[in-house]
Amino acid sequence: MSIPRILPRAEHPISRGYIDPDALRVLYRLHRAGFKAYLVGGSVRDLMTGRTPKDFDVGTDARPQEIRRLFRNSRVIGRRFRLAHILFEGGKVVEVSTFRKTPDAVQGEQGQEGDDDLLIRSDNTFGSPEEDALRRDFTINGLFYDIATYAVLDFVGGVEDLERRVVRTIGDPLIRFREDPVRMLRACEFAARLSFEMSEDVRAAIAELNREVTKSAAPRVTEELLDPLRRGWGHDTYRLWSEAGLLDALLPELGGVGAARAAEGTAAGLLFALLREVDAKRSLGTRIEEATLLSAMFLPVVFDAVRRHGPLSSAGPGQILLILEDTVNPLALRMALPNHLTQTVKHVLETFGRLTSTRPADPGARRLAGRPYLKAAVALLSLYARASGRYREAAAAWEEAVEQGLGSQALAAPFPVAPAPPGAISHPAPGGLAPARKRRRGGRRRRPQVSAAPA
Ligand code: ATP
Ligand code: MG
């Protein structure tokens, strides 16, 4: 066992005043019951750098059943790794997990059928605080704040890397990324979010292993792909993913052109312009529907396909539906999107197309106004207008109409099946999405483990 670097209260900026009061209560009750009680992971990193944490996770040497007994308002969750959720008013959850160590035989998310069992057992290995720090992904995510002493405990060199502004894996990145390729996405995401550099060995390892990211469970990867968009640092994250070859590995349709070469007028150029607008909206506090985010992500690919198809004016409504099936279905399949979301995204993209050529005052607009996807499509149009400079007038008119109460929330409905013209490019029929459903079920099974991993 090694001794951590200890930063006493006077040498770090974490004040109890910045810690969520319910998380503080949890820490104190564990401490008073004689257990170790640390704030762990992202919250320590964020507090150390003056940011507001998204959530406050607690690490302890109390076992799940002991935690359960200590907190009436708790439940033990997770199959692979059991941890406790302490529930507070307003749906707030403080996650408390027992220190654990890296499983001896990591099979990875991508493990073949049958691995689950092994993972369940191996993931449930409790460990010391040091082992718990060492199993985490990056040094900046491996710090502890000890409620007993108000000190920050550093087993992994995280304090120094926070000062140097470096994203570095705990241990050899070649090993850590092979164990869990999603960590490559996370490395870039933290670098983009915090404006940190990735360490040289991390960058080299990603360059070597970037294709392994496709081995990770699709729902988990999709979460990583959407998270930065929801939180307002999509542009820089996608830029790093693109430069690192990760985007190309996951979604070649989007990542085919590196950001550096993403000239205006190319699919990648439009993608990055749209991402910038998504971030701008987010920074104003505007929430963007999931279907709009995905539609924005897919729009450049759809445009590419339309362009290849020939002049849009020559494409009938049936052909547009076909193009949407052909472009969106393969992406949705690889991302293991739930079927209802895929349907909604196609509706949004189709409605978007109609909005560009109609105004709310036009006679034909009434039918559009009744569409459940109108709001999401108008949001997409307004992103596109800002990103490209086109359709500004249409966007302004539709935004105003929506503000005045036109349209309702997006509902799920089946996307109309396009009548296939003779010789048309074949596309997966709705049934073709079955593999995604299958994988999604797998994903759900895995999810407890996924959400358990963080804490
Ligand atoms: P945020 O929640 O703000 O996005 P975070 O660092 O809290 O950032 P989470 O995904 O909530 O990220 O994970 C919590 C902690 O769990 C991380 O700080 C890290 O210590 C650990 N962790 C998460 N994912 C992994 C992983 N794939 N491998 C190893 N450790 C991980
Ligand atoms: Mg977190």
Side-chain angles (χ1 to χ4, degrees):
M1 201 188 91
S2 53
I3 294 169
R5 176 175 170 194
I6 297 173
L7 268 72
R9 174 63 193 92
E11 289 173 31
H12 67 73
I14 301 183
S15 141
R16 274 164 293 159
Y18 298 134
I19 301 174
D20 176 87
D22 291 321
L24 262 185
R25 265 178 218 121
V26 171
L27 287 166
Y28 274 125
R29 185 172 299 185
L30 284 164
H31 172 58
R32 279 198 300 267
F35 296 110
K36 289 191 166 67
Y38 301 163
L39 214 52
V40 299
S43 58
V44 184
R45 175 199 68 225
D46 288 344
L47 292 171
M48 288 286 279
T49 53
R51 293 175 170 80
T52 307
K54 191 180 74 173
D55 32 42
F56 291 84
D57 297 335
V58 171
T60 179
D61 54 356
R63 296 297 162 100
Q65 284 313 323
E66 292 172 317
I67 304 167
R68 174 80 194 83
R69 275 198 292 275
L70 217 47
F71 298 92
R72 264 193 313 158
N73 51 331
S74 69
R75 57 167 187 233
V76 174
I77 61 146
R79 258 166 42 101
R80 284 178 176 177
F81 189 76
R82 302 182 68 67
L83 54 97
H85 274 176
I86 323 288
L87 313 168
F88 293 94
E89 254 172 47
K92 193 200 291 172
V93 174
V94 175
E95 200 168 277
V96 183
S97 47
T98 311
F99 300 132
R100 66 187 198 267
K101 58 181 172 188
T102 308
D104 294 332
V106 176
Q107 298 295 314
E109 286 293 304
Q110 65 275 20
Q112 288 108 29
E113 298 291 329
D115 279 349
D116 275 15
D117 192 37
L118 176 77
L119 279 158
I120 292 164
R121 267 182 279 120
S122 56
D123 236 14
N124 255 321
T125 325
F126 296 120
S128 65
E130 180 180 6
E131 285 165 329
D132 192 79
L134 292 177
R135 64 143 184 116
R136 291 170 185 276
D137 48 5
F138 304 107
T139 58
I140 56 171
N141 290 346
L143 297 172
F144 297 143
Y145 169 83
D146 182 0
I147 200 66
T149 58
Y150 310 134
V152 167
L153 313 182
D154 182 6
F155 289 98
V156 293
V159 171
E160 201 177 315
D161 283 338
L162 278 180
E163 281 161 4
R164 289 197 197 154
R165 306 171 68 82
V166 176
V167 178
R168 190 191 313 279
T169 48
I170 298 174
D172 183 350
L174 287 167
I175 296 173
R176 302 309 307 277
F177 292 155
R178 278 207 187 92
E179 279 173 3
D180 178 4
V182 164
R183 290 175 184 149
M184 295 189 278
L185 294 170
R186 287 172 62 87
C188 297
E189 196 259 350
F190 285 118
R193 169 188 342 184
L194 305 166
S195 302
F196 279 24
E197 292 292 326
M198 288 179 274
S199 65
E200 193 52 49
D201 61 345
V202 161
R203 274 186 292 157
I206 296 178
E208 188 175 330
L209 300 174
N210 52 21
R211 307 221 67 88
E212 305 236 334
V213 73
T214 56
K215 293 184 183 170
S216 298
R220 222 186 131 207
V221 170
T222 296
E223 261 310 293
E224 296 293 332
L225 291 176
L226 288 174
D227 197 54
L229 302 182
R230 297 182 190 123
R231 297 173 74 182
W233 45 80
H235 178 275
D236 290 358
T237 306
Y238 275 69
R239 188 172 54 78
L240 289 184
W241 285 341
S242 170
E243 287 167 3
L246 291 164
L247 195 56
D248 203 14
L250 288 171
L251 303 171
E253 300 91 331
L254 292 182
V257 188
R261 285 175 286 134
E264 250 178 71
T266 65
L270 175 58
L271 173 69
F272 285 100
L274 283 166
L275 292 175
R276 221 183 257 295
E277 295 307 324
V278 168
D279 290 346
K281 276 240 152 81
R282 197 67 205 79
S283 71
L284 295 173
T286 314
R287 217 192 78 81
I288 305 179
E289 273 179 55
E290 207 90 327
T292 309
L293 288 179
L294 284 162
S295 306
M297 210 164 135
F298 297 168
L299 188 64
V301 187
V302 174
F303 274 173
D304 244 19
V306 168
R307 239 178 257 132
R308 265 182 280 124
H309 178 273
L312 193 53
S313 50
S314 73
Q319 276 155 324
I320 297 288
L321 297 186
L322 265 181
I323 289 173
L324 284 174
E325 298 282 1
D326 272 331
T327 48
V328 174
N329 287 0
L331 285 162
L333 187 70
R334 234 165 320 131
M335 292 174 75
L337 295 183
N339 200 23
H340 70 88
L341 190 54
T342 308
Q343 304 299 329
T344 304
V345 166
K346 286 186 280 190
H347 278 293
V348 170
L349 286 163
E350 201 257 338
T351 309
F352 163 88
R354 293 181 185 260
L355 293 179
T356 58
S357 56
T358 323
R359 298 293 175 276
D362 291 350
R366 197 176 308 157
R367 277 227 309 269
L368 277 177
R371 289 187 174 208
Y373 310 102
L374 182 73
K375 253 188 165 160
V378 170
L380 178 63
L381 178 62
S382 97
L383 289 170
Y384 179 68
R386 286 164 180 276
S388 68
R390 302 176 67 200
Y391 304 121
R392 282 193 199 176
E393 190 221 333
W398 281 109
E399 277 165 40
E400 198 191 322
V402 162
E403 248 164 58
Q404 287 168 1
L406 205 66
S408 51
Q409 281 300 322
L411 303 166
F415 192 66
V417 177
I425 12 171
S426 71
H427 64 278
L433 287 173
R437 274 204 297 277
K438 192 160 165 238
R439 249 195 288 169
R440 226 170 51 244
R441 266 202 296 275
R444 239 184 257 133
R445 259 207 325 274
R446 291 187 180 101
R447 201 154 285 187
Q449 192 264 342
V450 171
S451 60

